[in-house]
Amino acid sequence: MKLLLDRKWKKEGYTIGQLYVDGIFFSNTLEDKDRGLTSSMSLEEIKRIKKAGITAIPTGTYNVRMDITSPKYGNREWFIKNCNKGKVPRLENVPGYVGILIHPGNIAEHTDGCILVGKNDVKGKVTKSKEYFLSLYNKMYNAYKKGESIEITVK
């Protein structure tokens, strides 16, 4: 399964993008501010530019794992019930970042570097995030159960 996150609207405190699943538009995304990081930058350069908790991840292509219980969400009832006992999609090997997830949320303060999915019908926010997340999660989990690799390209 291939996901593509195309960052479209880069604002002072947030970034709105469009998420495609295997080439088909799926939802909008919300991330922290895009500070121009790329996966080809040195770790030192990423660390120099990055502001912890308020910077979108570097552009690049990352594998997504579906088999790690989230320390943050793994003990929350909703995630235990809906996400294979708290196993939330996790991006691997994001330079300068650890624990980058795809999860529900509505405002940039909910991201902490992660990717939120939903409908961008309110400026600077996404709505219906849990609905969109569950639909995406089910698609990703079905691919995972079939043994498919899952990757996301952020551009």
Side-chain angles (χ1 to χ4, degrees):
M1 169 180 279
K2 295 198 182 294
L3 306 175
L4 170 66
L5 192 168
D6 188 7
R7 292 177 175 158
K8 290 292 194 185
W9 298 279
K10 301 172 184 180
K11 303 298 180 182
E12 182 54 36
Y14 63 90
T15 304
I16 299 290
Q18 296 176 328
L19 182 67
Y20 296 83
V21 177
D22 292 328
I24 300 169
F25 176 76
F26 177 79
S27 74
N28 293 112
T29 59
L30 176 62
E31 299 176 272
D32 285 319
K33 179 177 178 167
D34 181 345
R35 299 181 194 279
L37 302 178
T38 69
S39 59
S40 62
M41 290 177 162
S42 71
L43 191 54
E44 293 75 28
E45 189 174 8
I46 289 171
K47 287 180 178 180
R48 183 177 51 78
I49 296 169
K50 174 186 173 182
K51 295 185 181 187
I54 56 171
T55 302
I57 64 172
T59 57
T61 299
Y62 307 102
N63 289 323
V64 180
R65 293 188 60 177
M66 300 293 292
D67 61 345
I68 299 174
T69 301
S70 167
K72 184 172 184 177
Y73 298 114
N75 61 355
R76 296 187 186 178
E77 186 177 329
W78 189 87
F79 287 94
I80 292 168
K81 178 182 173 190
N82 293 295
C83 300
N84 189 26
K85 300 178 184 163
K87 295 180 175 110
V88 182
R90 177 182 298 265
L91 281 63
E92 289 189 293
N93 302 317
V94 179
Y97 291 74
V98 196
I100 297 300
L101 308 174
I102 300 172
H103 64 82
N106 303 106
I107 57 176
E109 288 79 10
H110 295 160
T111 64
D112 198 22
C114 296
I115 300 167
L116 310 181
V117 294
K119 182 175 179 142
N120 177 228
D121 55 2
V122 176
K123 186 176 181 178
K125 300 179 180 183
V126 290
T127 62
K128 300 181 181 172
S129 189
K130 280 187 176 179
E131 295 169 35
Y132 279 93
F133 173 77
L134 280 178
S135 178
L136 178 63
Y137 182 86
N138 288 330
K139 289 176 185 292
M140 294 174 76
Y141 191 68
N142 286 335
Y144 165 72
K145 285 192 306 189
K146 292 178 189 173
E148 292 180 34
S149 65
I150 303 170
E151 70 177 27
I152 185 168
T153 297
V154 179
K155 69 174 200 167

